[in-house]
Every structure is written in C-alpha cells, then in structure tokens.
Amino acid sequence: MPRERRPKLEGGQPDQGTLAERALLAAVSECSECAIFGKTLDGIINSWNAAAEGLFGYSAEEAIGKPSSILIPPDRTHELPNILDRIGRGERLERHQTVWLRKDGHGIDVAVSVTPIKDDRGRVVGAATIARDITEQKRTEEERERLLAELKEANQRLVAANRRGRELADQAQRWAAELDAVIEGVGEGITIADGNGRILRRNRVGREILGPSPQIEEEQRWTDYAGRFGVRYLDNRSVPSEQFPLARAVRGEAISGEELILVRPDGRRLHLLFSTSAVRDEEGRVALAMSIYRDITPIRLLEQAREEFISLVAHDLRSPLTIITGFAGLLQRLPPEQHGRTQERKAVESILSSAKRLERMVADLLDASRIESNRLTLAKEPVDLPRLVEELVERTAEITKGHPVRIDVHGPVPAVLADPTRLEQVLVNLLSNAAKYSFPRCEILLELQPRAGEVLISVTNRGLGIAPEDRDMIFTRFHRTRAAIKEKVPGLGLGLYISKGLVEAHGGRIWVESEMGKSTSFRFTLPAA
C-alpha cells in the first residue's frame, strides 16, 4: 500500500510531518542490519545505506547513479526484467532467494524483498529493495539437508541391516536346526562342553551309551559328571579324571581312535572308541570342546568269542598232535630191521614233519590268541644278546639253509631285559622270513647296535622287497603279501603279528624298511637291562 503523504506548506515545501517521516525513514535505514537501497523504474540506484556498503562492498558514492544490474551475476540477468516488470505493475516481491555479486566479484546468497514506491497519485515511481545476507542460513540449510540425507541413508542402511539381520538370524536358526538334527541323528555318541568344561549337550546315542543319569546342571563340569563312571585303559589301569577324553579336549588336545573301557554305574563295561576336537575363538582359547565316542563292545565280544574258539581248538589239537608226534618219533627210532624198507622210513619222516609243522601252527594260534586278549606272560631276565644270537644262528642252520648268515655287532652291546624263549621266537620268525624271500644263495645280515637306553636288532635280506601296499598291513593278523600268495609260501600270516606283539610286550617297537628289487630290513628295539 502507498504511504499516505501529508499536504505541503505554501511555497511547495513539505510540511513538518513529512520531514519527520523522512528523517525517521532515513534513521531506520541507516540503523538496519539489512542492505536497503532505492532505485528508479529503469533500475538506477538512487539511495544506498551503510549495511549495503558492508554487504556489497560499494560505497554510496560508487553505487548511487549506477544500474542495479551491477549486483546481478551474468547467469541471473534474466531475473531483473521480470522483477522490474512486476514492480511497475505495483506488485511486491517477498523474500526472493537468489545470488548477487559483491564488488570483488564473489557471489553472495541473499534474500531480497522489493516494495514499489508510489507518488501522491498512486503511480509507481521507483522501488525500495531490502537484501539480507543468508549465507549462514544457506550453509545451515545445506548442512541440515546433508545431515538429513545422511540420516536417511543411515536409516536405510539400518533398515537393510535389520532385514539382513533377520535373514541371517532365520538362516542361523535353520542351520542350528539342521546341525541339531545331524548331531541328534548321528550314529555315534557326542558330548559337547564349553571352554570351562561345562556340559552343553549330549545327543541321543550319547545318552544311550552313558546310560540313565541325573539331569545335567547348567554349571556342572564334565570331570565332575564323569566321576560317576569308571574309565580304564585296555590293561585295566584306571584313567585319571583329568585324562578323560573330553577333559583333554577342553585343554585343546585332539585325539583320534583311542579305545577305553567305560564302567557305567549299573556295572556294564563298554569298549568305546574316542575322538576329540576343539573349536577356538579369535584369541586361540578353547570355546567348544567335543568328544565323539563309538560303542565297539559288540565287536570286542565277537573277537573275544573268536579268540576263545581258536584257543579251544588249538588246545584240543595239541593232545592228538602230541600222540602222533610221539609215536612217529618212536617209529623213527626203531631198529632198521623192524621198518627197514625205504618207503616205511619216508612215511614216518613225513608224518613227523607234518606233525611238527602242525604243532607250530597251533602254537602260533595260541600265541596270537594270548596277544589279542592281553594274556601273554613273559619271564624276563638279563640277556646277553651277542651270545644268544650266535647260538641261535647255529641252531637254526636248517631254517636258513642255502643262505649264509653274517652277524655284525657294532660296539659293546649291553644286556637287555627280555624273555629268552620269546626273543628267540621273534628272531626265528625274522630269519625264516629272510630265508624264504631272499634271492638264492644270498647272505642274510643280522646286526646288533647299541643306542641310548636300548639295543637295535636288524635282520636284512636281499630279495624282491615288500610292495608299499603291503607294508602298512604286514604286521596284522593273517595278512599275507601278494608275493607269498603268488609263490605259495606256506604259513598262516601270523609270524610277524606275533613278533610285533612280543616286541611291544617287551617295551620295544618293530618296523620294516624295504626297497623294491633290492633288500628288506626288519628292525626292532629292546630296552637295555
């Protein structure tokens, strides 16, 4: 609305009210923090306050009389004609946000309000422009928009993360259900504990193997729980609770296929095959410990029944064999005139040879049965090995016939604590094998070598050697190499199994080294007396 003007005084001078209004307007303009300037309809600046000088850098002398376009950037000159046209029609422009130029050429964000100035007759004769620096406001708004955008993006990420989290949680739940089904359905017993030895769960087979038990308390440790059981090694020695498989797994130890005897509270004895593993956290500490155990009691019962049957048969065969051998020996010792014919003598020798061979087979079966059932007994005493070996080689000349036997003693050999009869049995088995599988007329080497706390005995022959696929099985019961089967070498496949059992019963170990087409060496150790 145009300001109402008061009547002028005589002589064309404005009245005192008009002068007061102008003075007040000038004072307000000079005191305002906003840039205020006036301009004509064609855009020429005709007034300029102090705030305008500070905002745009032009003094009043520099600005007045200049076109207002000096404040307009080249890319915004299209705005000026539109503003002047609107002002010319008497319209008011309110808080138009734009960019104007300072004297130094830098752009500045401003909010512009333009009010038309009218004369006494209501005609628009100019315009008053108020410009306010909104740089901080724009910066604040931009920062707010940026923060809002970041907040929106973060919120979207959070929503996506929540959605992914729900998906992962669902997936983890499915995996947990599948894992639980696998653990529960596996055919072996499983017990799981945390890193402190606290039991977390047992599966169905584990509950069946361990038998009825009180509810496992949340804080109950495996060693406390296992105290209800008796756990024994195969030689019937008691296993300390800290050596129970799961207790060892809690300490990070891994075992595989260790057989122990578990005595349940109801008195049942179970043969269990244990394996353990542990899951560690990022710092290497045991987070989960697991014990897997399989009940092999039915297998051991079958083996026991088989061993008892073999032992029974072997014992029952001994009596008639003794009679046959005795009478064959008696016939052999009769005067020639009573069985002088060559055919009779050969028949007696054949009977005696077959009976002795059958006796050796029965003795092998009995020894294998004793080893398997841990019923092997030894009569240990200090043994002079060099002397025993020399005497044995002389006595077994018939076994090694066609193959000279050389004895090498490397340095002073200490006495060993052994059962002489059983030690001879091992050496006879090895010398017999060496003779069977040697090249014709090749030497057999028997070596004695002292080592730290023990003596190493080696029997080496030159021959075809033992194939790699046979070496891992050669000390098992009834195993016969392909070469033995092909050449139809007689035997039950028990000699090396018995030799291994006898050496280990003495506290030693036995192994084979072979090079195909060249040589084979059987080596075993015995502890020094």
Side-chain angles (χ1 to χ4, degrees), residues 316-365:
D316 288 347
L317 284 174
R318 265 191 161 179
S319 295
L321 274 174
T322 302
I323 295 172
I324 293 172
T325 304
F327 279 108
L330 180 61
L331 287 173
Q332 195 177 38
R333 291 192 299 273
L334 287 175
E337 60 270 15
Q338 297 186 20
H339 59 86
R341 290 187 301 173
T342 302
Q343 185 176 1
E344 290 177 348
R345 288 198 304 273
K346 287 184 177 180
V348 171
E349 289 173 358
S350 178
I351 291 171
L352 191 58
S353 174
S354 298
K356 286 182 178 179
R357 180 182 167 195
L358 192 55
E359 275 186 335
R360 286 196 300 272
M361 293 172 65
V362 169
D364 285 349
L365 286 171

Side-chain angles (χ1 to χ4, degrees), residues 437-483:
Y437 300 105
S438 282
F439 293 137
R441 293 179 299 280
C442 281
E443 180 183 74
I444 297 173
L445 176 62
L446 199 160
E447 296 178 275
L448 303 178
Q449 182 177 354
R451 302 205 304 187
E454 62 183 13
V455 177
L456 173 66
I457 302 100
S458 303
V459 177
T460 303
N461 72 284
R462 293 184 60 198
L464 293 176
I466 300 172
E469 59 269 20
D470 283 322
R471 291 173 200 167
D472 292 336
M473 300 291 294
I474 201 165
F475 292 105
T476 58
R477 288 191 308 173
F478 305 114
H479 178 77
R480 309 204 65 210
T481 64
R482 296 181 182 182

Side-chain angles (χ1 to χ4, degrees), residues 93-108:
L93 184 66
E94 292 284 353
R95 292 184 295 277
H96 171 62
Q97 293 189 7
T98 185
V99 176
W100 280 359
L101 290 177
R102 290 172 51 86
K103 180 181 177 180
D104 58 11
H106 287 88
I108 183 171

Side-chain angles (χ1 to χ4, degrees), residues 138-197:
K138 291 286 288 186
R139 187 178 295 115
T140 302
E141 288 177 353
E142 290 173 358
E143 182 68 14
R144 183 190 64 186
E145 292 300 323
R146 185 184 66 80
L147 292 175
L148 287 174
E150 290 182 358
L151 182 60
K152 182 179 179 181
E153 184 181 354
N155 185 60
Q156 290 173 345
R157 288 200 301 267
L158 181 60
V159 170
N162 287 337
R163 182 168 60 251
R164 179 59 178 163
R166 288 193 297 272
E167 292 173 356
L168 291 175
D170 293 341
Q171 188 179 49
Q173 190 173 5
R174 288 195 301 273
W175 286 349
E178 292 173 4
L179 179 61
D180 188 70
V182 170
I183 292 175
E184 196 65 18
V186 74
E188 297 177 330
I190 297 177
T191 300
I192 302 174
D194 64 14
N196 295 318

